[in-house]
Amino acid sequence: MSTSNPDHIFQEAVLLHPFFKGMERSTALSLFSRCKKVTSVKDQTLLKSYENRSGLYLVVEGEVEVIVPKEMDGKEEVLEVISEGGIVGLSSLYSFMEKEEMEDGLYASVEVKAKEKSMLCLVPYSGLKGFWEDPHLKQFLLNETSKRLQDIYYSLSKQVGASYGLEERSTILKRVKDIMIDNVITVNIGASVQEAARIMGVNRVSSVVVLDNKGIAGILTERDIVSRYIAGDIPLTNEVKEGMTAHPVVIGKDAYLYEALAEMLDHSIKHLPVTDRGKLAGIITLYDVMKANHTGALTSTHKLDDHGFPLDKIKPTIEPVFHHLWKAHAPAFHILDFMSGLLDRLYRRVLREAEEELDREGKVKPCSFSFYVMGSAGRKEQFMLTDQDHFLVYEKEGEQSEEYFRLFSEKVVEKLEEAGLRRCDGNMMSSEPSWRGSLHKWEERARQWSVRSSEETLLKAQNFFSFRFLDGDEELNDAFNDTIRRQLKSSKILLVRMAQVEKTKPVPVLHSSIRSLLGMQRKEFSMKKEILFPFHHAMQILNLAHGNTTGSTLEKIEYLVVKGSISPGFSDDLREAFEEMMKLYMELKRNKQGDTVQLSTLSTREKENLYHSVKTIREFQNMMLAHYSLA
């Protein structure tokens, strides 16, 4: 940080600051003559905690962060971001007004650091003494202090509310290492099943981890012994490697309990070896997780796979899980990943049931198929049961295939609707002829979208390219992706037209400070239509341009880094911006407020976070447009 005397250019910039703007020019110039110019580079500390404060700091250019340093772990907590037009030092005003003489200045318990290259104006407390009666100055400082106090109360109320969730947080946000059994019972890969069963009996455990000279080779459970050896009439004298589950699912000891639960439910397992830097450190069971999470909000999710559990009971079973994770302050990306896993399991159950019903009705499946989800489900962002977006690809053409998969798709849609996923308003579901077909039909559809790029076909294409393979034949899925990539190479005009549409829907500009937005006519905006849709469409189009047709949003961001389309640093900014938007969107949905953000309901810090996130997303949208020379 450097301090210097003001120059004329600096003077004119400072006099435009709200602090000076309403004063008479002669008064403003007189006070300005007592000020100092302060400049700093990015991440430079401007004011240290418990360091004497000598005045107010007006942010003329750039941004600064008010930080609470944590001495115990060396980490920092950002209390507030103050942008151009803001002011630092309001918390010391009371002491300034009470003191007769300014000796060594005033101290504060927070630090102030430059978030980017910044320029500030230091208005000494001593210089303010002669101007304290100025009406504009009094009103400005009163307004700013009141606004800051309002934000502090809002923040405190949030903290108090969060404290009531500490019990839940202490359970679901426990780490695996907190409850794992570290004395793991193991056997060597060359041991017999009989020996492994004896060891289980002696130690009263229902599984053993199988080791070889490289580490974890597999896991053998009581169920494996019964189903693979006794029921399969295989001698128990055979080696465990013949019946164990090789390359088992494992989890790190620092993972959260809800992550362990997600792994168990997704893979239909009850035992999970725990690792530390790749080595066996413990084991955790489904019973351990359920017992630790005594609130029970997640214990009913195993019913999703039970065909005897009514479909109409699934929505009231799944949605409380989201609210529970939210109240436990689970990270947004973890919530999305966990909830997506649950909804994927619902889809797979419905697909199996539809197939089994047709089999009982004497309908023979004529060929293999692949089933895909689109929209928020395709991006792994469907944290609540909303509407259906899916399509189906089958292997062989012909009337027999069309008739079978028509009946199959209709059953799927009916069952998903019964489970709480309403029908898509735009009829983008596999029950519609235009959203199912053979591999050849899908290739022709993609070609037609390029040839006839009407508003309707571009809308279909935008939704289609958010697809994710959910279930079915893996080889058919590979062939389908190859077909789509091949078609895109010969139909690049489609991507250009999609990009042209996005140019007409720019992400809003919030100018240099969120406060400037408050002076505009708009006091609200649609999170979905104005922020998330443009972001997702830009992400899809840029990925398609580099040959990637599928994946979640986070996977697509990483793909662009690998391709050199965006830098690792910008990818971090983009992830943070996306997470910030999703947190706000999830909060709106959780409170049943639609997707409209009312700016007046946000704290100053939330507005600043929103501003930075939107700015990053707009920059990314411009990157996509620049790829097509449309920026």
mmCIF file with all atom_site columns, all heavy atoms in Angstrom, residues 569-589:
data_model
loop_
_atom_site.group_PDB
_atom_site.id
_atom_site.type_symbol
_atom_site.label_atom_id
_atom_site.label_alt_id
_atom_site.label_comp_id
_atom_site.label_asym_id
_atom_site.label_entity_id
_atom_site.label_seq_id
_atom_site.pdbx_PDB_ins_code
_atom_site.Cartn_x
_atom_site.Cartn_y
_atom_site.Cartn_z
_atom_site.occupancy
_atom_site.B_iso_or_equiv
_atom_site.pdbx_formal_charge
_atom_site.auth_seq_id
_atom_site.auth_comp_id
_atom_site.auth_asym_id
_atom_site.auth_atom_id
_atom_site.pdbx_PDB_model_num
ATOM 1   N N   . GLY A 1 569 ? -7.629  -21.132 -13.633 1.00 0.00 ? 569 GLY A N   1
ATOM 2   C CA  . GLY A 1 569 ? -8.058  -20.073 -12.708 1.00 0.00 ? 569 GLY A CA  1
ATOM 3   C C   . GLY A 1 569 ? -9.466  -19.613 -13.000 1.00 0.00 ? 569 GLY A C   1
ATOM 4   O O   . GLY A 1 569 ? -10.273 -19.427 -12.071 1.00 0.00 ? 569 GLY A O   1
ATOM 5   N N   . PHE A 1 570 ? -9.784  -19.426 -14.277 1.00 0.00 ? 570 PHE A N   1
ATOM 6   C CA  . PHE A 1 570 ? -11.143 -18.996 -14.622 1.00 0.00 ? 570 PHE A CA  1
ATOM 7   C C   . PHE A 1 570 ? -12.148 -20.104 -14.340 1.00 0.00 ? 570 PHE A C   1
ATOM 8   O O   . PHE A 1 570 ? -13.291 -19.819 -13.968 1.00 0.00 ? 570 PHE A O   1
ATOM 9   C CB  . PHE A 1 570 ? -11.227 -18.577 -16.099 1.00 0.00 ? 570 PHE A CB  1
ATOM 10  C CG  . PHE A 1 570 ? -12.569 -18.010 -16.473 1.00 0.00 ? 570 PHE A CG  1
ATOM 11  C CD1 . PHE A 1 570 ? -12.954 -16.748 -16.037 1.00 0.00 ? 570 PHE A CD1 1
ATOM 12  C CD2 . PHE A 1 570 ? -13.469 -18.753 -17.222 1.00 0.00 ? 570 PHE A CD2 1
ATOM 13  C CE1 . PHE A 1 570 ? -14.205 -16.229 -16.362 1.00 0.00 ? 570 PHE A CE1 1
ATOM 14  C CE2 . PHE A 1 570 ? -14.722 -18.249 -17.551 1.00 0.00 ? 570 PHE A CE2 1
ATOM 15  C CZ  . PHE A 1 570 ? -15.090 -16.977 -17.120 1.00 0.00 ? 570 PHE A CZ  1
ATOM 16  N N   . SER A 1 571 ? -11.744 -21.365 -14.497 1.00 0.00 ? 571 SER A N   1
ATOM 17  C CA  . SER A 1 571 ? -12.667 -22.469 -14.190 1.00 0.00 ? 571 SER A CA  1
ATOM 18  C C   . SER A 1 571 ? -13.053 -22.452 -12.709 1.00 0.00 ? 571 SER A C   1
ATOM 19  O O   . SER A 1 571 ? -14.192 -22.742 -12.354 1.00 0.00 ? 571 SER A O   1
ATOM 20  C CB  . SER A 1 571 ? -12.048 -23.818 -14.560 1.00 0.00 ? 571 SER A CB  1
ATOM 21  O OG  . SER A 1 571 ? -11.079 -24.229 -13.617 1.00 0.00 ? 571 SER A OG  1
ATOM 22  N N   . ASP A 1 572 ? -12.086 -22.089 -11.836 1.00 0.00 ? 572 ASP A N   1
ATOM 23  C CA  . ASP A 1 572 ? -12.387 -21.974 -10.405 1.00 0.00 ? 572 ASP A CA  1
ATOM 24  C C   . ASP A 1 572 ? -13.408 -20.851 -10.169 1.00 0.00 ? 572 ASP A C   1
ATOM 25  O O   . ASP A 1 572 ? -14.344 -21.008 -9.386  1.00 0.00 ? 572 ASP A O   1
ATOM 26  C CB  . ASP A 1 572 ? -11.112 -21.693 -9.610  1.00 0.00 ? 572 ASP A CB  1
ATOM 27  C CG  . ASP A 1 572 ? -10.169 -22.878 -9.591  1.00 0.00 ? 572 ASP A CG  1
ATOM 28  O OD1 . ASP A 1 572 ? -10.630 -24.005 -9.834  1.00 0.00 ? 572 ASP A OD1 1
ATOM 29  O OD2 . ASP A 1 572 ? -8.960  -22.676 -9.345  1.00 0.00 ? 572 ASP A OD2 1
ATOM 30  N N   . ASP A 1 573 ? -13.192 -19.714 -10.848 1.00 0.00 ? 573 ASP A N   1
ATOM 31  C CA  . ASP A 1 573 ? -14.137 -18.598 -10.718 1.00 0.00 ? 573 ASP A CA  1
ATOM 32  C C   . ASP A 1 573 ? -15.522 -19.005 -11.215 1.00 0.00 ? 573 ASP A C   1
ATOM 33  O O   . ASP A 1 573 ? -16.540 -18.646 -10.615 1.00 0.00 ? 573 ASP A O   1
ATOM 34  C CB  . ASP A 1 573 ? -13.647 -17.391 -11.536 1.00 0.00 ? 573 ASP A CB  1
ATOM 35  C CG  . ASP A 1 573 ? -12.375 -16.777 -10.970 1.00 0.00 ? 573 ASP A CG  1
ATOM 36  O OD1 . ASP A 1 573 ? -12.070 -17.040 -9.789  1.00 0.00 ? 573 ASP A OD1 1
ATOM 37  O OD2 . ASP A 1 573 ? -11.689 -16.056 -11.717 1.00 0.00 ? 573 ASP A OD2 1
ATOM 38  N N   . LEU A 1 574 ? -15.550 -19.764 -12.304 1.00 0.00 ? 574 LEU A N   1
ATOM 39  C CA  . LEU A 1 574 ? -16.821 -20.185 -12.895 1.00 0.00 ? 574 LEU A CA  1
ATOM 40  C C   . LEU A 1 574 ? -17.556 -21.158 -11.982 1.00 0.00 ? 574 LEU A C   1
ATOM 41  O O   . LEU A 1 574 ? -18.774 -21.076 -11.818 1.00 0.00 ? 574 LEU A O   1
ATOM 42  C CB  . LEU A 1 574 ? -16.558 -20.828 -14.263 1.00 0.00 ? 574 LEU A CB  1
ATOM 43  C CG  . LEU A 1 574 ? -17.713 -20.842 -15.268 1.00 0.00 ? 574 LEU A CG  1
ATOM 44  C CD1 . LEU A 1 574 ? -18.263 -19.436 -15.499 1.00 0.00 ? 574 LEU A CD1 1
ATOM 45  C CD2 . LEU A 1 574 ? -17.246 -21.449 -16.578 1.00 0.00 ? 574 LEU A CD2 1
ATOM 46  N N   . ARG A 1 575 ? -16.816 -22.077 -11.388 1.00 0.00 ? 575 ARG A N   1
ATOM 47  C CA  . ARG A 1 575 ? -17.418 -23.017 -10.433 1.00 0.00 ? 575 ARG A CA  1
ATOM 48  C C   . ARG A 1 575 ? -18.012 -22.256 -9.245  1.00 0.00 ? 575 ARG A C   1
ATOM 49  O O   . ARG A 1 575 ? -19.123 -22.559 -8.792  1.00 0.00 ? 575 ARG A O   1
ATOM 50  C CB  . ARG A 1 575 ? -16.363 -24.019 -9.921  1.00 0.00 ? 575 ARG A CB  1
ATOM 51  C CG  . ARG A 1 575 ? -16.040 -25.152 -10.873 1.00 0.00 ? 575 ARG A CG  1
ATOM 52  C CD  . ARG A 1 575 ? -14.856 -25.953 -10.347 1.00 0.00 ? 575 ARG A CD  1
ATOM 53  N NE  . ARG A 1 575 ? -15.141 -26.491 -9.021  1.00 0.00 ? 575 ARG A NE  1
ATOM 54  C CZ  . ARG A 1 575 ? -15.607 -27.726 -8.795  1.00 0.00 ? 575 ARG A CZ  1
ATOM 55  N NH1 . ARG A 1 575 ? -15.832 -28.527 -9.808  1.00 0.00 ? 575 ARG A NH1 1
ATOM 56  N NH2 . ARG A 1 575 ? -15.840 -28.154 -7.574  1.00 0.00 ? 575 ARG A NH2 1
ATOM 57  N N   . GLU A 1 576 ? -17.256 -21.280 -8.727  1.00 0.00 ? 576 GLU A N   1
ATOM 58  C CA  . GLU A 1 576 ? -17.741 -20.494 -7.586  1.00 0.00 ? 576 GLU A CA  1
ATOM 59  C C   . GLU A 1 576 ? -18.987 -19.705 -7.962  1.00 0.00 ? 576 GLU A C   1
ATOM 60  O O   . GLU A 1 576 ? -19.946 -19.623 -7.180  1.00 0.00 ? 576 GLU A O   1
ATOM 61  C CB  . GLU A 1 576 ? -16.645 -19.542 -7.104  1.00 0.00 ? 576 GLU A CB  1
ATOM 62  C CG  . GLU A 1 576 ? -15.498 -20.234 -6.395  1.00 0.00 ? 576 GLU A CG  1
ATOM 63  C CD  . GLU A 1 576 ? -14.415 -19.262 -5.971  1.00 0.00 ? 576 GLU A CD  1
ATOM 64  O OE1 . GLU A 1 576 ? -14.672 -18.043 -6.028  1.00 0.00 ? 576 GLU A OE1 1
ATOM 65  O OE2 . GLU A 1 576 ? -13.311 -19.716 -5.599  1.00 0.00 ? 576 GLU A OE2 1
ATOM 66  N N   . ALA A 1 577 ? -18.976 -19.120 -9.158  1.00 0.00 ? 577 ALA A N   1
ATOM 67  C CA  . ALA A 1 577 ? -20.138 -18.346 -9.607  1.00 0.00 ? 577 ALA A CA  1
ATOM 68  C C   . ALA A 1 577 ? -21.356 -19.246 -9.770  1.00 0.00 ? 577 ALA A C   1
ATOM 69  O O   . ALA A 1 577 ? -22.464 -18.897 -9.354  1.00 0.00 ? 577 ALA A O   1
ATOM 70  C CB  . ALA A 1 577 ? -19.822 -17.648 -10.931 1.00 0.00 ? 577 ALA A CB  1
ATOM 71  N N   . PHE A 1 578 ? -21.149 -20.401 -10.379 1.00 0.00 ? 578 PHE A N   1
ATOM 72  C CA  . PHE A 1 578 ? -22.236 -21.360 -10.583 1.00 0.00 ? 578 PHE A CA  1
ATOM 73  C C   . PHE A 1 578 ? -22.784 -21.836 -9.239  1.00 0.00 ? 578 PHE A C   1
ATOM 74  O O   . PHE A 1 578 ? -24.000 -21.922 -9.042  1.00 0.00 ? 578 PHE A O   1
ATOM 75  C CB  . PHE A 1 578 ? -21.732 -22.536 -11.416 1.00 0.00 ? 578 PHE A CB  1
ATOM 76  C CG  . PHE A 1 578 ? -22.720 -23.660 -11.565 1.00 0.00 ? 578 PHE A CG  1
ATOM 77  C CD1 . PHE A 1 578 ? -24.025 -23.419 -11.975 1.00 0.00 ? 578 PHE A CD1 1
ATOM 78  C CD2 . PHE A 1 578 ? -22.348 -24.967 -11.309 1.00 0.00 ? 578 PHE A CD2 1
ATOM 79  C CE1 . PHE A 1 578 ? -24.940 -24.451 -12.117 1.00 0.00 ? 578 PHE A CE1 1
ATOM 80  C CE2 . PHE A 1 578 ? -23.250 -26.006 -11.442 1.00 0.00 ? 578 PHE A CE2 1
ATOM 81  C CZ  . PHE A 1 578 ? -24.547 -25.750 -11.843 1.00 0.00 ? 578 PHE A CZ  1
ATOM 82  N N   . GLU A 1 579 ? -21.892 -22.131 -8.295  1.00 0.00 ? 579 GLU A N   1
ATOM 83  C CA  . GLU A 1 579 ? -22.328 -22.577 -6.973  1.00 0.00 ? 579 GLU A CA  1
ATOM 84  C C   . GLU A 1 579 ? -23.136 -21.488 -6.274  1.00 0.00 ? 579 GLU A C   1
ATOM 85  O O   . GLU A 1 579 ? -24.161 -21.766 -5.639  1.00 0.00 ? 579 GLU A O   1
ATOM 86  C CB  . GLU A 1 579 ? -21.127 -22.974 -6.116  1.00 0.00 ? 579 GLU A CB  1
ATOM 87  C CG  . GLU A 1 579 ? -21.533 -23.523 -4.750  1.00 0.00 ? 579 GLU A CG  1
ATOM 88  C CD  . GLU A 1 579 ? -20.345 -24.001 -3.938  1.00 0.00 ? 579 GLU A CD  1
ATOM 89  O OE1 . GLU A 1 579 ? -19.213 -23.512 -4.161  1.00 0.00 ? 579 GLU A OE1 1
ATOM 90  O OE2 . GLU A 1 579 ? -20.546 -24.867 -3.073  1.00 0.00 ? 579 GLU A OE2 1
ATOM 91  N N   . GLU A 1 580 ? -22.688 -20.239 -6.386  1.00 0.00 ? 580 GLU A N   1
ATOM 92  C CA  . GLU A 1 580 ? -23.392 -19.119 -5.760  1.00 0.00 ? 580 GLU A CA  1
ATOM 93  C C   . GLU A 1 580 ? -24.805 -18.991 -6.333  1.00 0.00 ? 580 GLU A C   1
ATOM 94  O O   . GLU A 1 580 ? -25.775 -18.777 -5.603  1.00 0.00 ? 580 GLU A O   1
ATOM 95  C CB  . GLU A 1 580 ? -22.607 -17.827 -5.979  1.00 0.00 ? 580 GLU A CB  1
ATOM 96  C CG  . GLU A 1 580 ? -23.038 -16.675 -5.091  1.00 0.00 ? 580 GLU A CG  1
ATOM 97  C CD  . GLU A 1 580 ? -22.768 -16.917 -3.628  1.00 0.00 ? 580 GLU A CD  1
ATOM 98  O OE1 . GLU A 1 580 ? -21.748 -17.548 -3.279  1.00 0.00 ? 580 GLU A OE1 1
ATOM 99  O OE2 . GLU A 1 580 ? -23.600 -16.481 -2.809  1.00 0.00 ? 580 GLU A OE2 1
ATOM 100 N N   . MET A 1 581 ? -24.918 -19.120 -7.664  1.00 0.00 ? 581 MET A N   1
ATOM 101 C CA  . MET A 1 581 ? -26.232 -19.032 -8.316  1.00 0.00 ? 581 MET A CA  1
ATOM 102 C C   . MET A 1 581 ? -27.138 -20.186 -7.893  1.00 0.00 ? 581 MET A C   1
ATOM 103 O O   . MET A 1 581 ? -28.328 -19.999 -7.636  1.00 0.00 ? 581 MET A O   1
ATOM 104 C CB  . MET A 1 581 ? -26.063 -19.047 -9.836  1.00 0.00 ? 581 MET A CB  1
ATOM 105 C CG  . MET A 1 581 ? -25.381 -17.819 -10.424 1.00 0.00 ? 581 MET A CG  1
ATOM 106 S SD  . MET A 1 581 ? -26.290 -16.271 -10.142 1.00 0.00 ? 581 MET A SD  1
ATOM 107 C CE  . MET A 1 581 ? -25.436 -15.647 -8.707  1.00 0.00 ? 581 MET A CE  1
ATOM 108 N N   . MET A 1 582 ? -26.560 -21.389 -7.812  1.00 0.00 ? 582 MET A N   1
ATOM 109 C CA  . MET A 1 582 ? -27.364 -22.555 -7.437  1.00 0.00 ? 582 MET A CA  1
ATOM 110 C C   . MET A 1 582 ? -27.819 -22.468 -5.984  1.00 0.00 ? 582 MET A C   1
ATOM 111 O O   . MET A 1 582 ? -28.937 -22.855 -5.655  1.00 0.00 ? 582 MET A O   1
ATOM 112 C CB  . MET A 1 582 ? -26.576 -23.843 -7.662  1.00 0.00 ? 582 MET A CB  1
ATOM 113 C CG  . MET A 1 582 ? -26.442 -24.246 -9.127  1.00 0.00 ? 582 MET A CG  1
ATOM 114 S SD  . MET A 1 582 ? -28.034 -24.347 -10.020 1.00 0.00 ? 582 MET A SD  1
ATOM 115 C CE  . MET A 1 582 ? -28.910 -25.587 -9.066  1.00 0.00 ? 582 MET A CE  1
ATOM 116 N N   . LYS A 1 583 ? -26.975 -21.931 -5.105  1.00 0.00 ? 583 LYS A N   1
ATOM 117 C CA  . LYS A 1 583 ? -27.386 -21.771 -3.700  1.00 0.00 ? 583 LYS A CA  1
ATOM 118 C C   . LYS A 1 583 ? -28.578 -20.833 -3.604  1.00 0.00 ? 583 LYS A C   1
ATOM 119 O O   . LYS A 1 583 ? -29.538 -21.103 -2.877  1.00 0.00 ? 583 LYS A O   1
ATOM 120 C CB  . LYS A 1 583 ? -26.217 -21.240 -2.856  1.00 0.00 ? 583 LYS A CB  1
ATOM 121 C CG  . LYS A 1 583 ? -25.176 -22.280 -2.515  1.00 0.00 ? 583 LYS A CG  1
ATOM 122 C CD  . LYS A 1 583 ? -24.236 -21.818 -1.421  1.00 0.00 ? 583 LYS A CD  1
ATOM 123 C CE  . LYS A 1 583 ? -23.390 -20.655 -1.851  1.00 0.00 ? 583 LYS A CE  1
ATOM 124 N NZ  . LYS A 1 583 ? -22.351 -20.308 -0.856  1.00 0.00 ? 583 LYS A NZ  1
ATOM 125 N N   . LEU A 1 584 ? -28.502 -19.735 -4.338  1.00 0.00 ? 584 LEU A N   1
ATOM 126 C CA  . LEU A 1 584 ? -29.595 -18.769 -4.327  1.00 0.00 ? 584 LEU A CA  1
ATOM 127 C C   . LEU A 1 584 ? -30.852 -19.368 -4.944  1.00 0.00 ? 584 LEU A C   1
ATOM 128 O O   . LEU A 1 584 ? -31.964 -19.194 -4.427  1.00 0.00 ? 584 LEU A O   1
ATOM 129 C CB  . LEU A 1 584 ? -29.170 -17.511 -5.088  1.00 0.00 ? 584 LEU A CB  1
ATOM 130 C CG  . LEU A 1 584 ? -30.111 -16.304 -5.052  1.00 0.00 ? 584 LEU A CG  1
ATOM 131 C CD1 . LEU A 1 584 ? -30.488 -15.935 -3.635  1.00 0.00 ? 584 LEU A CD1 1
ATOM 132 C CD2 . LEU A 1 584 ? -29.455 -15.112 -5.755  1.00 0.00 ? 584 LEU A CD2 1
ATOM 133 N N   . TYR A 1 585 ? -30.688 -20.107 -6.037  1.00 0.00 ? 585 TYR A N   1
ATOM 134 C CA  . TYR A 1 585 ? -31.820 -20.745 -6.717  1.00 0.00 ? 585 TYR A CA  1
ATOM 135 C C   . TYR A 1 585 ? -32.462 -21.814 -5.829  1.00 0.00 ? 585 TYR A C   1
ATOM 136 O O   . TYR A 1 585 ? -33.691 -21.906 -5.730  1.00 0.00 ? 585 TYR A O   1
ATOM 137 C CB  . TYR A 1 585 ? -31.329 -21.367 -8.024  1.00 0.00 ? 585 TYR A CB  1
ATOM 138 C CG  . TYR A 1 585 ? -32.416 -21.979 -8.872  1.00 0.00 ? 585 TYR A CG  1
ATOM 139 C CD1 . TYR A 1 585 ? -33.490 -21.213 -9.329  1.00 0.00 ? 585 TYR A CD1 1
ATOM 140 C CD2 . TYR A 1 585 ? -32.366 -23.317 -9.246  1.00 0.00 ? 585 TYR A CD2 1
ATOM 141 C CE1 . TYR A 1 585 ? -34.481 -21.768 -10.115 1.00 0.00 ? 585 TYR A CE1 1
ATOM 142 C CE2 . TYR A 1 585 ? -33.343 -23.875 -10.034 1.00 0.00 ? 585 TYR A CE2 1
ATOM 143 C CZ  . TYR A 1 585 ? -34.402 -23.104 -10.467 1.00 0.00 ? 585 TYR A CZ  1
ATOM 144 O OH  . TYR A 1 585 ? -35.380 -23.664 -11.242 1.00 0.00 ? 585 TYR A OH  1
ATOM 145 N N   . MET A 1 586 ? -31.645 -22.602 -5.156  1.00 0.00 ? 586 MET A N   1
ATOM 146 C CA  . MET A 1 586 ? -32.158 -23.646 -4.263  1.00 0.00 ? 586 MET A CA  1
ATOM 147 C C   . MET A 1 586 ? -32.910 -23.041 -3.078  1.00 0.00 ? 586 MET A C   1
ATOM 148 O O   . MET A 1 586 ? -33.934 -23.572 -2.642  1.00 0.00 ? 586 MET A O   1
ATOM 149 C CB  . MET A 1 586 ? -30.999 -24.528 -3.777  1.00 0.00 ? 586 MET A CB  1
ATOM 150 C CG  . MET A 1 586 ? -30.415 -25.411 -4.873  1.00 0.00 ? 586 MET A CG  1
ATOM 151 S SD  . MET A 1 586 ? -28.736 -25.992 -4.540  1.00 0.00 ? 586 MET A SD  1
ATOM 152 C CE  . MET A 1 586 ? -29.031 -27.222 -3.294  1.00 0.00 ? 586 MET A CE  1
ATOM 153 N N   . GLU A 1 587 ? -32.402 -21.909 -2.583  1.00 0.00 ? 587 GLU A N   1
ATOM 154 C CA  . GLU A 1 587 ? -33.084 -21.220 -1.481  1.00 0.00 ? 587 GLU A CA  1
ATOM 155 C C   . GLU A 1 587 ? -34.455 -20.725 -1.925  1.00 0.00 ? 587 GLU A C   1
ATOM 156 O O   . GLU A 1 587 ? -35.451 -20.846 -1.189  1.00 0.00 ? 587 GLU A O   1
ATOM 157 C CB  . GLU A 1 587 ? -32.224 -20.053 -0.985  1.00 0.00 ? 587 GLU A CB  1
ATOM 158 C CG  . GLU A 1 587 ? -32.866 -19.192 0.085   1.00 0.00 ? 587 GLU A CG  1
ATOM 159 C CD  . GLU A 1 587 ? -32.915 -19.866 1.445   1.00 0.00 ? 587 GLU A CD  1
ATOM 160 O OE1 . GLU A 1 587 ? -32.384 -20.979 1.593   1.00 0.00 ? 587 GLU A OE1 1
ATOM 161 O OE2 . GLU A 1 587 ? -33.504 -19.270 2.357   1.00 0.00 ? 587 GLU A OE2 1
ATOM 162 N N   . LEU A 1 588 ? -34.537 -20.171 -3.134  1.00 0.00 ? 588 LEU A N   1
ATOM 163 C CA  . LEU A 1 588 ? -35.825 -19.709 -3.664  1.00 0.00 ? 588 LEU A CA  1
ATOM 164 C C   . LEU A 1 588 ? -36.811 -20.878 -3.775  1.00 0.00 ? 588 LEU A C   1
ATOM 165 O O   . LEU A 1 588 ? -37.966 -20.763 -3.381  1.00 0.00 ? 588 LEU A O   1
ATOM 166 C CB  . LEU A 1 588 ? -35.628 -19.067 -5.037  1.00 0.00 ? 588 LEU A CB  1
ATOM 167 C CG  . LEU A 1 588 ? -34.898 -17.720 -5.088  1.00 0.00 ? 588 LEU A CG  1
ATOM 168 C CD1 . LEU A 1 588 ? -34.581 -17.348 -6.533  1.00 0.00 ? 588 LEU A CD1 1
ATOM 169 C CD2 . LEU A 1 588 ? -35.737 -16.620 -4.440  1.00 0.00 ? 588 LEU A CD2 1
ATOM 170 N N   . LYS A 1 589 ? -36.347 -21.982 -4.331  1.00 0.00 ? 589 LYS A N   1
ATOM 171 C CA  . LYS A 1 589 ? -37.210 -23.149 -4.523  1.00 0.00 ? 589 LYS A CA  1
ATOM 172 C C   . LYS A 1 589 ? -37.618 -23.758 -3.185  1.00 0.00 ? 589 LYS A C   1
ATOM 173 O O   . LYS A 1 589 ? -38.752 -24.203 -3.012  1.00 0.00 ? 589 LYS A O   1
ATOM 174 C CB  . LYS A 1 589 ? -36.499 -24.192 -5.384  1.00 0.00 ? 589 LYS A CB  1
ATOM 175 C CG  . LYS A 1 589 ? -36.355 -23.788 -6.845  1.00 0.00 ? 589 LYS A CG  1
ATOM 176 C CD  . LYS A 1 589 ? -37.718 -23.654 -7.511  1.00 0.00 ? 589 LYS A CD  1
ATOM 177 C CE  . LYS A 1 589 ? -37.626 -23.325 -8.970  1.00 0.00 ? 589 LYS A CE  1
ATOM 178 N NZ  . LYS A 1 589 ? -38.955 -23.149 -9.588  1.00 0.00 ? 589 LYS A NZ  1
#
